[in-house]
Amino acid sequence: MTFAAAPVTATDTATAAAPVAATTLLRLTEVELRKMTDTRAGRWLLAVVAFAAVALVVVTLTAAPREDRTWRSFLTSSQAGVAVLFPVVGILAVTSEWSQRTALTTFALVPDRRRVLGAKVAAGVVLALFGVVFGLLCATLGRAVAGCTDRGAGNWSIPGPMLASVLLAAILSITLGVAFGVLFLNAPLAIVTFFMVPSVLGILADLVSAMESVNRWVNPGPALDPLYGTGISGVEWARLTTTMAIWLLTPLAVGTYRVIHTEVH
């Protein structure tokens, strides 16, 4: 028995020739956000961030002077864990693709690697927003308890510019991690370098007076600190811009080039 092949129609030809729609950036961002939060390491790291936010608010409530128990101070305290640990989240978001050998699958599904990196940065921005919202919730609860127990000071006010600068600090923190992740593609090396170099710069600034001024312009810690205050001056904006050019834009540009041209095995 023989079977005749079905005739190929013009509709079939047009369907076969039609390009497959690229995955949207929103969908890629959702996937990358899930990668950051849906692993054991990611969940534990975010749990530590949340615990640090709650614990530091409690410390401020119980140990800080009365005049420091303001809504602003509680918010600043809640963001300490975000500032320290969010860069690690950003680093792991990139390096896990290479250490767990899932990069081949990712880049096979999305050949344009720049879109994948863009989605990782966008997912970091979303996560930073959640970090600030959670910190604001903790700060609000801390200020409410302080008010009810007659431990609080100041009124219920956080300036809009301060809230925006705190959000910017959280975004920069996690994006710095992404930049170092794409630069090294190795989690231990990226984490050690990210925390060791600023520490060495700080030690040199304490030992050598000439390094003190340089440290303010090249160390991300002192550059980001003013963002947690109630105002940032023009000089502080200049220092932040210079530091981010060194620590964020340069590693991100070099790392992006490396990711695009690195063979995945």
Side-chain angles (χ1 to χ4, degrees), residues 166-192:
V166 168
L167 177 59
L168 177 60
I171 292 172
L172 290 176
S173 294
I174 198 167
T175 309
L176 282 168
V178 173
F180 269 70
V182 298
L183 179 62
F184 293 103
L185 300 180
N186 180 283
L189 181 59
I191 293 172
V192 170

Side-chain angles (χ1 to χ4, degrees), residues 51-217:
F51 175 78
V54 174
L56 289 172
V57 167
V58 172
V59 169
T60 302
L61 178 63
T62 56
R66 179 184 176 85
E67 60 271 15
D68 290 338
R69 296 170 189 163
T70 65
W71 199 17
R72 303 175 188 178
S73 299
F74 283 120
L75 176 61
T76 302
S77 299
S78 70
Q79 294 303 298
V82 170
V84 174
L85 295 177
F86 261 25
V88 180
V89 176
I91 290 173
L92 295 180
V94 177
T95 56
S96 60
E97 295 275 13
W98 301 84
S99 62
Q100 299 175 10
R101 300 184 182 276
T102 58
L104 183 61
T105 303
T106 299
F107 296 143
L109 295 173
V110 186
D112 190 347
R113 301 181 183 184
R114 292 169 299 182
R115 299 184 69 237
V116 176
L117 294 179
K120 290 182 185 296
V121 172
V125 172
V126 174
L127 203 58
L129 177 60
F130 277 107
V132 173
V133 170
F134 181 77
L136 185 60
L137 176 62
C138 293
T140 302
L141 292 176
R143 180 62 182 86
V145 172
C148 293
T149 57
D150 196 25
R151 293 171 175 264
N155 54 14
W156 283 81
S157 67
I158 295 179
M162 178 186 176
L163 198 58
S165 66
V166 168
L167 177 59
L168 177 60
I171 292 172
L172 290 176
S173 294
I174 198 167
T175 309
L176 282 168
V178 173
F180 269 70
V182 298
L183 179 62
F184 293 103
L185 300 180
N186 180 283
L189 181 59
I191 293 172
V192 170
T193 303
F194 181 84
F195 288 105
M196 183 183 69
V197 174
S199 299
V200 172
L201 290 174
I203 293 172
L204 289 176
D206 292 335
L207 297 177
V208 183
S209 57
M211 282 293 300
E212 184 177 356
S213 177
V214 176
N215 184 61
R216 296 175 184 173
W217 287 88

Side-chain angles (χ1 to χ4, degrees), residues 10-35:
T11 302
D12 296 332
T13 303
T15 301
V20 178
T23 307
T24 64
L25 180 60
L26 181 62
R27 177 58 177 166
L28 289 176
T29 302
E30 180 184 349
V31 171
E32 294 300 331
L33 189 60
R34 187 178 303 169
K35 289 179 183 178

Side-chain angles (χ1 to χ4, degrees), residues 35-47 92 100:
K35 289 179 183 178
M36 290 181 178
T37 59
D38 201 23
T39 63
R40 182 179 299 177
R43 286 194 296 267
W44 274 105
L45 193 55
L46 293 176
L92 295 180
Q100 299 175 10

